[in-house]
Amino acid sequence: MNLAFVAQSGWGKGYHAQSWMESNAQDYEAMVVLDYCAEYRGLVKEGIADHLIVGPVEAQWSVQDWMAVLQANPYVVLERHKAKVGTDKWREIATRIAEAVRRLDRDQLIVFDEAHFVAPQRIKLPQPVKELATTGRGAGTSTMWVTQRTAEIDKTILTQCQARMIGGFDGGEIGPLEKTIPYPPELHNPIEDPNPSRLPEEILPSDRERPTSLQKHENDDGQTVGSEWIYSDDDGNIRRRDTSGVKMSSTHYGSEGNDLNPPEYA
C-alpha cells in the first residue's frame, strides 16, 4: 500500500504518523524512515528501530553503500543532520536511498517525512522515487508520504497512493487529493460545518452533532492533544479517526512543543 499522510502544520501529523509506523513495523521485514525534522527518535528509544544521523559523510555514500547499511540495519530511522545537510542535498540522498530500497528483495515499509522536499512539484521527479511510488507495491514495498504541502509535492506521488489519511487544513487546501475522496472536501476545514446529510454516516462525529468538520483538541497551554482525521482507500473503506484515542508505546519528539494497518484507537 502507498499511503498519503497529510495535514496542516500543528495538526499532530508527526505524532499520528509515528503511531502508524509503530503499529506496522513488525509486519514488515524492514522499515526505513527518512526523518527530515528529527521527529521520530521515539521509535529508536523504544527499541523499534536503529538510528543513523545522515551528515556530510553519509551524503557521499553510493547506492551500493546504502544497500549495505540498510541490509545491516533493516529497521532504521535516518535522521537528517539539520546543520550540515540542506534540502537539496537531502533530496539527492533520498533518491539514492530510494534506489537502494528498490533493489532489496524484501517486504518493507518506507516513510518519507516532509515528502514535498523529496518529491517537489517544481522540479522533475527523480526516477528512483517515481519508480518506488509507482511500482514499489508490486515489489513488496509499502510507502508513507507525510506532508503538509499537498500543492508542493509531485502529483504523481499523491495519485499513486491507494489510501489516504487526511487531517485538517484551514481553507480546505487538500490539493490533488480532493479528486480522490468520496465526501465534501470542506470537511477538512475546521471552520466549516457541512450539512450532515451530505456526509457518509461513517465519518459523522460520534461525540457531537455540529460542527461536522474535523476539529483539533488543545489543552489550556494551546498544545495539540488530539485531532480528527479521515481515512479512505481505493477499496471503498472510509472512517473518522481521533488521535486522542491512539495507543502508542513510543514517545513522539515533534517540532511542536520542542495493506498498512491502522494503530489501535480507543
Side-chain angles (χ1 to χ4, degrees), residues 118-121 123-131 133-134 145 154-157:
V118 174
Q121 180 64 36
I123 66 173
K124 183 178 180 180
L125 184 63
Q127 190 64 23
V129 177
K130 180 179 180 179
E131 291 178 355
T134 57
W145 306 88
D154 192 282
K155 293 179 182 179
T156 301
I157 300 298

Side-chain angles (χ1 to χ4, degrees), residues 102-163:
R102 284 189 65 251
R103 296 185 186 182
L104 296 174
D105 183 18
R106 61 189 187 183
D107 290 333
Q108 54 193 333
L109 171 59
I110 314 301
V111 181
F112 292 90
D113 183 45
E114 302 293 347
H116 54 283
F117 290 135
V118 174
Q121 180 64 36
R122 60 182 173 81
I123 66 173
K124 183 178 180 180
L125 184 63
Q127 190 64 23
V129 177
K130 180 179 180 179
E131 291 178 355
L132 189 63
T134 57
T135 65
R137 188 186 188 192
T141 297
S142 293
T143 58
M144 284 177 57
W145 306 88
V146 185
T147 183
Q148 72 268 24
R149 304 287 187 182
T150 55
E152 296 181 16
I153 188 172
D154 192 282
K155 293 179 182 179
T156 301
I157 300 298
L158 296 182
T159 58
Q160 290 299 316
C161 289
Q162 298 88 28

